[in-house]
Amino acid sequence: MRPTHIEDYLVTVRTGQWFGWTDSKNKIYANLIVHDGGAKPTEADCTNGLKALQDAWDLENDSYKSNRRAEYPQLAEQFDLLYKDIVAGTVTTNGDFAKAIKAVKDKYTKE
């Protein structure tokens, strides 16, 4: 799932249950508490960290990359196509392997 809350960022900062909330029903920065004696991240750190997680998620899931990844032939099939092209001497842009990859790249162009 796409990160939507600073808590999604906080769990990446340190391991264990190092943070909590003074009000578990109102998880806002003002209610953030630190249990392990470490430094409390700034509100900007939390906001920027969440934004970075969201940007990374978007890049992986809402882009041509994720669409391509879903449609490329399975690796075993790709290797089989490549092997057959090698044996046939057709390891070129006209070989079946290249054609299979190109079809997906053409369908989902870089944005």
Side-chain angles (χ1 to χ4, degrees):
M1 289 183 67
R2 186 175 192 270
T4 59
H5 191 273
I6 63 169
E7 191 169 29
D8 296 319
Y9 165 72
L10 292 170
V11 298
T12 70
V13 174
R14 295 197 286 272
T15 58
Q17 293 185 338
W18 65 272
F19 71 92
W21 308 98
T22 57
D23 180 355
S24 63
K25 293 185 188 322
N26 190 17
K27 295 180 179 181
I28 59 172
Y29 182 80
N31 293 335
L32 175 64
I33 55 173
V34 175
H35 298 300
D36 69 356
K40 181 178 178 179
T42 67
E43 188 168 9
D45 289 338
C46 294
T47 303
N48 294 337
L50 175 59
K51 175 83 168 80
L53 289 174
Q54 290 172 333
D55 290 347
W57 190 95
D58 290 345
L59 184 62
E60 288 298 314
N61 296 285
D62 287 346
S63 70
Y64 71 94
K65 288 182 180 182
S66 63
N67 290 329
R68 284 180 178 180
R69 198 170 24 254
E71 288 209 29
Y72 280 135
Q74 293 294 315
L75 285 178
E77 185 180 341
Q78 288 184 41
F79 286 133
D80 188 51
L81 290 170
L82 184 58
Y83 173 78
K84 288 175 181 175
D85 283 350
I86 291 169
V87 171
T90 58
V91 182
T92 67
T93 56
N94 294 320
D96 290 337
F97 171 74
K99 287 178 184 177
I101 300 302
K102 186 174 182 334
V104 176
K105 287 184 177 288
D106 288 347
K107 184 175 180 180
Y108 299 107
T109 58
K110 288 184 180 180
E111 300 166 341

